[in-house]
């Protein structure tokens, strides 16, 4: 189940981000309680609706949600770190967030880890590890991962060059993309 939190503005009547204001002596926030209660009620995904220009706000909200080990929130935090939205670019933190989400079974995180290893963003380029993470995502029908596997097979990067395998993964990519 998905919890949608409408957090588009800055809380003009409140005068700031009320979801991120401490409400007790322990420094807990309203958002902590909102997410905690949602998890107890069976929610497994949190989506924040914010204004596009409020990336810093989004970053803060997703960081709070990531503390509850929600894979989608961890992926969102990683993406914000990777792209420098609402925070400074930090590939190491992006990697850590993606890896934590991957350990929780998130397929998007698997694809993104493959991309970091293939591109050398924040980690040393490692085509073998890129192949491994792409393969996990491709087995779950991620068409982008299939495209990347096709490329790696075509060029012989991280795996022995194999044109037949490349064509197979290209075709699977098209098939899986049509399912979206």
């Amino acid at each position: 189940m998905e919890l949608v939190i409408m957090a588009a503005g800055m809380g003009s009547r409140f005068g700031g981000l009320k979801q991120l204001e401490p409400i007790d002596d322990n420094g807990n926030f309203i958002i902590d309680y909102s997410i905690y209660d949602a998890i107890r009620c069976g929610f497994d995904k949190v989506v924040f609706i914010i204004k596009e220009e409020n990336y810093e706000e989004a970053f803060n909200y997703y960081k709070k949600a990531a503390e509850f080990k929600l894979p989608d929130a961890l992926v969102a935090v990683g993406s914000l770190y990777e792209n420098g939205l609402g925070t400074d670019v930090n590939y190491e933190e992006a990697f850590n967030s993606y890896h934590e989400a991957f350990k929780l079974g998130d397929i998007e995180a698997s694809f993104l880890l493959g991309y970091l290893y293939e591109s050398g963003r924040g980690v040393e380029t490692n085509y073998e590890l890129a192949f491994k993470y792409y393969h996990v995502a491709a087995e779950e029908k991620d068409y982008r991962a299939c495209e990347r596997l096709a490329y790696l097979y075509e060029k012989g990067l991280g795996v022995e060059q194999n044109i037949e395998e490349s064509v197979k993964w290209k075709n699977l990519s098209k098939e899986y993309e049509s399912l979206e």
Side-chain angles (χ1 to χ4, degrees), residues 110-120 123-138 145 148-149 151-152 157-159:
S110 184
F111 171 78
L112 293 167
L113 286 167
Y115 174 74
L116 290 181
Y117 276 115
E118 182 182 6
S119 65
V123 294
E124 192 171 320
T125 300
N126 185 322
Y127 294 115
E128 290 84 8
L129 286 174
F131 180 86
K132 170 191 160 189
Y133 285 111
Y134 285 148
H135 200 274
V136 169
R148 300 315 307 152
L149 285 178
Y151 176 79
L152 294 176
L157 299 171
V159 66

Side-chain angles (χ1 to χ4, degrees), residues 25-138:
D25 293 337
N26 295 322
N28 292 309
F29 303 99
I30 292 173
I31 195 74
D32 293 330
Y33 289 102
S34 299
I35 295 170
Y36 176 79
D37 289 342
I39 291 170
R40 287 185 56 210
C41 290
F43 289 88
D44 58 1
K45 185 175 185 176
V46 177
V47 176
F48 296 98
I49 307 296
I50 61 157
K51 291 180 182 175
E52 186 173 329
E53 64 269 15
N54 290 345
Y55 286 117
E56 188 173 336
E57 184 178 348
F59 178 76
N60 290 330
Y61 283 137
Y62 279 114
K63 280 283 281 184
K64 290 308 277 174
E67 290 174 11
F68 291 91
K69 303 296 184 205
L70 296 171
D72 289 330
L74 287 160
V75 168
V77 168
S79 180
L80 293 168
Y81 271 127
E82 182 181 355
N83 296 293
L85 300 172
T87 187
D88 293 331
V89 170
N90 187 327
Y91 295 126
E92 183 178 339
E93 287 296 327
F95 176 88
N96 291 338
S97 291
Y98 294 153
H99 195 262
E100 188 68 28
F102 172 76
K103 290 190 305 187
L104 295 168
D106 191 90
I107 299 308
E108 174 78 5
S110 184
F111 171 78
L112 293 167
L113 286 167
Y115 174 74
L116 290 181
Y117 276 115
E118 182 182 6
S119 65
R121 294 180 93 176
V123 294
E124 192 171 320
T125 300
N126 185 322
Y127 294 115
E128 290 84 8
L129 286 174
F131 180 86
K132 170 191 160 189
Y133 285 111
Y134 285 148
H135 200 274
V136 169

